[in-house]
Amino acid sequence: MANDDLATHLPIVLRPDPKRVVIRPFVPADDPPRFAVGVVPRAQRIADRVMALSGADLKVDLERVTAGLSEHHRNVNMVLQRRFHEVNGLLIDHCSVAEEQALLIGAYFSEEYAFEAAALFNPSIVAHPDQSGVRPGDVRFILSLRGVGEGHVSSVTFRTGICGADGTVTVDTPGLQAVAPRIENIPGGAPDDPGVRLFCEDSRDLSEVVIFPMTINQRHGIEDVRLVRFVDDDANVTYFGTYTAFSGEAIRQELLRTTDFVTFELTALRGDATANKGMALFPRRIKGRYAMLGRQDHENIWLLTSDDLYNWEGGTRVVSPRWDWEFVQIGNGGSPIEIDEGWLVITHGVGAVRNYCLGACLLDRDDPTKLLARTTYPLLQPRVEERYGYVPNVAYTCGAMVHGRTLILPYALADSFTTFATVPLDRLLAAMA
């Protein structure tokens, strides 16, 4: 049973699009030890072959490559030139070459990646930092989404839209391009794990920004960003997003940080509470400390506090499975939302046959270790026509927002696509016990 009568399902469906591709770095695998060819590494052999091409063959190959890329990408020569400079002296011996050779070497160390070819799901939503031109009563928002492409590798992509004063929600049509960011290590970061800074000024629209795995700890996915608009005690606003980095062998929590959604920092979180999925930062400090929800024991929702945004230890268990639709585990569905009545937390519960449903609970505003109320039945669960996809029987979200007294709830179905619902806040609170 579910509280289906509480939610209004909106006719918005965001589906994966294999035509959305980005040019990302490509690094060929090293030679297997017993097939190693002398002392010349494989990457160097590729560059040497390019430099050995005749002028005519070089011109033909480069024209073929750039013509194909120009169908989907802007500034192709700039992108390939940048990639050459990234590999020159690192993957290959430093060399001075003609411009056409540099471009073609850059192409051989690049690849097109369809970052949302298989799925587009697990959304999170925050108010946009730029509300200029928005009609009174409306709010512009940013939606983050988990796109899944080749190899089941997850990346972060974005959409923008408007929540209307009348309860309507519109999502802007995404741009036709996707632009890879410029990538730098964060100066002064940990020597063995400095984190990365991304510059996305070449994107003309936020939907053109794609954040794909860039470090060894992310190489199999950046998963389930939980965005939050954080207001510090000095009134400065920063947008954070906790997410799961998957190396292929281990997971850990990392933090996205931005003020403008043009420049981003991605940095690892530390401490014994950060080795599992599903951390979500509160939108402000509580009694002078940062606060976070976590699920470090795989089963319950925990409250964590810290003086250091990047270090999280211990915690207090605040919400545990109680109803049959959450007997397996319960977790947060994004950062807590501050309302007059307390901290509203969207939850997910896992029940029989690994069914994922959405619920909600209310925590005390001054002491979030106190659980005030919770939904006794799912707020949302997959309807019959929505049950099947990449992962059956899943309804999931990574963050909602309140506009006026209406909950705006983007959510994913079957780990495949994304839709929206709205819920009157007063009716939701009345459904809790």
Side-chain angles (χ1 to χ4, degrees):
M1 183 176 180
N3 288 312
D4 286 329
D5 59 326
L6 293 180
T8 299
H9 298 269
L10 304 184
I12 299 171
V13 179
L14 306 180
R15 295 189 182 278
D17 182 357
K19 295 190 295 297
R20 287 177 57 76
V21 293
V22 66
I23 301 174
R24 70 174 184 178
F26 166 70
V27 179
D30 293 332
D31 294 305
R34 72 188 188 95
F35 292 100
V37 181
V39 296
V40 179
R42 187 179 176 198
Q44 185 63 48
R45 298 199 305 269
I46 294 171
D48 290 344
R49 291 168 188 147
V50 174
M51 289 187 284
L53 287 172
S54 68
D57 288 342
L58 177 69
K59 183 178 179 64
V60 169
D61 199 9
L62 182 59
E63 287 180 351
R64 176 186 58 80
V65 168
T66 56
L69 291 176
S70 296
E71 295 176 2
H72 296 285
H73 307 282
R74 292 189 301 270
N75 305 321
V76 169
N77 283 6
M78 182 192 72
V79 172
L80 298 183
Q81 186 77 250
R82 179 189 299 163
R83 183 58 181 150
F84 169 74
H85 289 298
E86 289 171 353
V87 303
N88 192 24
L90 293 176
L91 284 182
I92 65 174
D93 294 339
H94 189 274
C95 57
S96 297
V97 296
E99 181 181 2
E100 289 185 335
Q101 289 176 313
L103 293 174
L104 194 54
I105 290 171
Y108 275 95
F109 291 94
S110 302
E111 65 176 351
E112 281 192 304
Y113 179 62
F115 55 93
E116 58 176 65
L120 189 64
F121 63 118
N122 292 3
S124 181
I125 188 172
V126 290
H128 199 295
D130 180 8
Q131 296 294 323
S132 60
V134 176
R135 295 181 305 181
D138 294 356
V139 63
R140 181 179 291 120
F141 65 79
I142 291 172
L143 191 74
S144 69
L145 295 147
R146 175 179 170 184
V148 173
E150 176 188 350
H152 192 69
V153 174
S154 297
S155 303
V156 184
T157 183
F158 299 95
R159 300 289 188 273
T160 56
I162 296 286
C163 292
D166 58 357
T168 59
V169 177
T170 58
V171 178
D172 300 326
T173 301
L176 298 177
Q177 309 280 344
V179 182
R182 290 190 295 114
I183 308 167
E184 296 179 359
N185 285 340
I186 296 176
D192 59 338
D193 194 10
V196 291
R197 183 172 292 153
L198 313 179
F199 301 90
C200 303
E201 68 273 14
D202 293 333
S203 298
R204 298 177 182 174
D205 178 85
L206 187 55
S207 68
E208 294 187 350
V209 172
V210 54
I211 302 176
F212 47 78
M214 299 165 192
T215 70
I216 192 169
N217 292 294
Q218 304 166 350
R219 65 183 182 273
H220 278 261
I222 297 175
E223 304 176 356
D224 300 346
V225 172
R226 287 160 160 82
L227 288 177
V228 63
R229 180 181 183 272
F230 184 88
V231 183
D232 215 333
D233 292 344
D234 59 4
N236 282 330
V237 175
T238 306
Y239 292 82
F240 293 108
T242 47
Y243 62 89
T244 299
F246 180 41
S247 70
E249 296 154 358
I251 62 172
R252 71 179 190 183
Q253 290 291 287
E254 295 185 355
L255 189 68
L256 174 155
R257 180 179 190 142
T258 185
T259 57
D260 55 10
F261 289 87
V262 175
T263 302
F264 301 82
E265 291 185 356
L266 308 181
T267 311
L269 296 179
R270 305 178 300 273
D272 61 22
T274 67
N276 201 353
K277 296 184 176 185
M279 297 184 74
L281 185 68
F282 279 68
R284 64 170 174 83
R285 297 178 192 248
I286 298 176
K287 296 180 180 177
R289 309 191 82 201
Y290 296 105
M292 185 90 79
L293 295 181
R295 201 191 69 220
Q296 56 265 44
D297 65 351
H298 299 271
E299 184 177 34
N300 306 281
I301 297 177
W302 292 67
L303 177 74
L304 318 166
T305 60
S306 178
D307 294 319
D308 180 351
L309 181 61
Y310 293 92
N311 189 71
W312 299 88
E313 306 276 355
T316 301
R317 186 171 58 192
V318 293
V319 190
S320 299
R322 180 176 178 183
W323 313 110
D324 56 358
W325 51 278
E326 54 191 26
F327 275 178
V328 175
Q329 70 187 44
I330 188 170
N332 73 73
S335 291
I337 303 167
E338 188 168 15
I339 60 176
D340 292 342
E341 293 82 358
W343 293 105
L344 176 65
V345 180
I346 306 303
T347 64
H348 66 261
V350 183
V353 201
R354 199 168 169 259
N355 278 261
Y356 276 71
C357 301
L358 297 181
C361 68
L362 189 68
L363 305 179
D364 186 84
R365 200 172 186 179
D366 298 320
D367 182 3
T369 63
K370 296 179 180 178
L371 174 62
L372 303 180
R374 63 196 295 180
T375 50
T376 58
Y377 295 101
L379 171 62
L380 282 174
Q381 60 187 1
R383 294 173 291 183
V384 173
E385 67 273 20
E386 300 169 336
R387 289 180 58 193
Y388 295 106
Y390 191 69
V391 180
N393 305 313
V394 174
Y396 197 90
T397 186
C398 290
M401 65 182 287
V402 167
H403 181 42
R405 291 290 288 181
T406 300
L407 178 72
I408 311 299
L409 179 58
Y411 65 101
L413 289 161
D415 277 14
S416 298
F417 61 93
T418 294
T419 186
F420 278 76
T422 58
V423 184
L425 207 54
D426 295 329
R427 294 179 64 190
L428 175 60
L429 295 172
M432 294 184 183

